[in-house]
Amino acid sequence: MRLPRRAALGLLPLLLLLPPAPEAAKKPTPCHRCRGLVDKFNQGMVDTAKKNFGGGNTAWEEKTLSKYESSEIRLLEILEGLCESSDFECNQMLEAQEEHLEAWWLQLKSEYPDLFEWFCVKTLKVCCSPGTYGPDCLACQGGSQRPCSGNGHCSGDGSRQGDGSCRCHMGYQGPLCTDCMDGYFSSLRNETHSICTVRTGLSDSYPPCCLSLGCWRGVGHAWIRGRNTHTQPGYSSRVWIAAFSPACDESCKTCSGLTNRDCGECEVGWVLDEGACVDVDECAAEPPPCSAAQFCKNANGSYTCEECDSSCVGCTGEGPGNCKECISGYAREHGQCADVDECSLAEKACVRKHENCYNTPGSYVCVCPDGFEETEDACVPPAEAEATEGESPTQLPSREDL
């Protein structure tokens, strides 16, 4: 789609009066633009999933013009809705990459069902898969499955930018975000996880053992699960208890006790509700946080975006039973998207004489039997083919035939 050129001279005085754009308002990266285009394309697939050619005789149209689900007409409808007329960068990208999208739609969709992976990562090479970064899509620090040990953000994650280094979350430090900052202590550490918990309630009135081991003072005692008592010089009349377990519930950023009702401040992904920090269900947000080809899975304090089943056009959960619509060549059967066996339909899929039909996932193929000669109208048996070749068009009929 080509955009008309507009004269901008009349806007020059106004532009000169505007304050400079803030540094945060940077132009979107090529990966961000590509991902946005793919998200809109996937939404277009959802929006057109229930449509047809619109001529009134769907069966005849699909027999004559092929199925609407995989037709160029549907592709055109999706492409026309991708960009607003005022979005120059979107239209510019669409005009430059329209042939790629058409090739994927008509030839490669079944082989590469993830448009983002094929288009943005492998074809245009402007993005990387999650957990990788940079021009060569190298694995982030800590590995692509749990970058930065799950305790930080990998620089350039999912893009062709960044250096793969970790920007640790609050309380964590070190190249892989596995070490605790001052004011935090290691409450869990093994080969796969490292958890740092904030020290709270400490003051100069606490004995040295508490300052070094991390006590949390409640009403006259410390909140504990495991205990170790110390009597310090100058504290002979008081017994102190040192805690070796996390004092705060996972929903708390700071706390004065062990439950989600003892939070001084809620962690990110949690919200205060009736005096307690409760999990925010990000999956219930509008619009949903995941793309049209993914479903949202809520987790404590966070969420994940999981890929829909390959038989789905949009989904609400895992597997073919949670598809919003089925892709071309699949239909609802017993509550889930199942392959349509075109070869067993009453209306023959392969119409040439002697032709065999073989069902494939989402489609079918028509093949002549071994030894048969393939023509435009039929599969000719070997004997008939030889007889046809042996006949001479100028041969006169025998006396008996006369």
Side-chain angles (χ1 to χ4, degrees):
M1 182 184 298
R2 297 184 181 276
L3 294 177
R5 296 179 179 272
R6 291 186 173 90
L9 293 177
L11 297 175
L12 185 57
L14 178 60
L15 293 174
L16 293 175
L17 294 174
L18 292 175
E23 187 176 345
K26 295 179 180 178
K27 289 180 62 177
T29 64
C31 179
H32 186 272
R33 289 199 298 269
C34 189
R35 186 184 293 274
L37 195 69
V38 167
D39 287 346
K40 291 177 182 177
F41 193 101
N42 288 330
Q43 185 60 50
M45 291 176 66
V46 174
D47 294 341
T48 58
K50 294 184 179 181
K51 292 186 178 181
N52 53 42
F53 287 108
N57 189 342
T58 302
W60 178 89
E61 289 164 344
E62 292 195 345
K63 180 179 178 182
T64 307
L65 304 174
S66 79
K67 292 186 177 181
Y68 171 80
E69 288 91 339
S70 55
S71 67
E72 291 188 59
I73 292 177
R74 184 184 179 195
L75 172 62
L76 182 61
E77 290 181 7
I78 294 173
L79 293 178
E80 287 179 345
L82 290 185
C83 301
E84 299 288 340
S85 60
S86 59
D87 191 340
F88 174 76
E89 289 185 343
C90 179
N91 281 284
Q92 186 181 44
M93 186 175 195
L94 177 59
E95 184 176 12
Q97 307 303 334
E98 189 169 348
E99 289 185 1
H100 278 131
L101 293 172
E102 183 177 348
W104 177 82
W105 177 264
L106 298 176
Q107 302 168 15
L108 303 171
K109 185 167 57 171
S110 58
E111 185 178 355
Y112 302 99
D114 188 336
L115 177 57
F116 171 77
E117 186 75 17
W118 178 83
F119 184 56
C120 299
V121 178
K122 294 182 177 178
T123 303
L124 299 189
K125 297 182 178 179
V126 294
C127 297
C128 290
S129 300
T132 62
Y133 74 96
D136 299 318
C137 292
L138 302 176
C140 289
Q141 294 288 331
S144 60
Q145 296 302 313
R146 292 187 77 244
C148 304
S149 308
N151 299 327
H153 176 73
C154 167
S155 173
D157 191 351
S159 74
R160 297 276 170 162
Q161 300 177 333
D163 58 10
S165 61
C166 293
R167 288 180 291 178
C168 301
H169 299 326
M170 179 63 71
Y172 296 88
Q173 62 183 357
L176 299 179
C177 300
T178 54
D179 301 326
C180 300
M181 295 176 61
D182 291 342
Y184 292 76
F185 82 104
S186 179
S187 57
L188 172 66
R189 184 158 185 166
N190 55 31
E191 292 181 357
T192 58
H193 291 78
S194 176
I195 299 177
C196 297
T197 303
V198 65
R199 301 180 190 272
T200 60
L202 297 178
S203 71
D204 294 337
S205 64
Y206 279 73
C209 70
C210 275
L211 293 175
S212 61
L213 294 173
C215 299
W216 285 265
R217 187 176 184 180
V219 182
H221 65 280
W223 296 103
I224 64 165
R225 270 183 248 170
R227 62 179 61 192
N228 181 17
T229 59
H230 294 259
T231 301
Q232 297 289 329
Y235 296 92
S236 56
S237 62
R238 183 180 296 179
V239 175
W240 293 88
I241 303 172
F244 296 96
S245 303
C248 296
D249 185 82
E250 64 176 329
S251 63
C252 304
K253 183 173 286 187
T254 60
C255 69
S256 58
L258 294 173
T259 74
N260 66 338
R261 292 187 173 275
D262 299 315
C263 301
E265 184 181 354
C266 296
E267 264 289 3
V268 176
W270 306 76
V271 65
L272 191 64
D273 182 21
E274 296 183 357
C277 287
V278 296
D279 174 53
V280 175
D281 185 0
E282 294 88 352
C283 299
E286 286 295 338
C290 301
S291 73
Q294 298 174 318
F295 67 92
C296 184
K297 201 170 183 179
N298 191 49
N300 283 344
S302 184
Y303 68 95
T304 58
C305 292
E306 306 287 343
E307 297 297 323
C308 293
D309 189 84
S310 59
S311 64
C312 299
V313 178
C315 66
T316 57
E318 186 177 2
N322 288 301
C323 298
K324 293 180 180 178
E325 300 292 338
C326 302
I327 64 171
S328 174
Y330 285 73
R332 290 276 181 189
E333 184 177 325
H334 305 301
Q336 63 181 19
C337 288
D339 174 51
V340 175
D341 185 358
E342 292 87 353
C343 299
S344 65
L345 299 178
E347 184 178 352
K348 285 188 175 182
C350 301
V351 296
R352 295 185 299 180
K353 188 177 180 181
H354 301 305
E355 190 171 36
N356 290 332
C357 180
Y358 295 94
N359 188 54
T360 62
S363 187
Y364 63 95
V365 292
C366 300
V367 181
C368 287
D370 288 344
F372 280 59
E373 183 178 334
E374 185 171 351
T375 69
E376 186 175 347
D377 302 319
C379 297
V380 182
E384 292 183 17
E386 292 173 5
T388 303
E389 292 174 1
E391 291 179 358
S392 172
T394 58
Q395 185 176 0
L396 295 176
S398 66
R399 183 180 299 275
E400 289 78 6
D401 292 336
L402 294 173

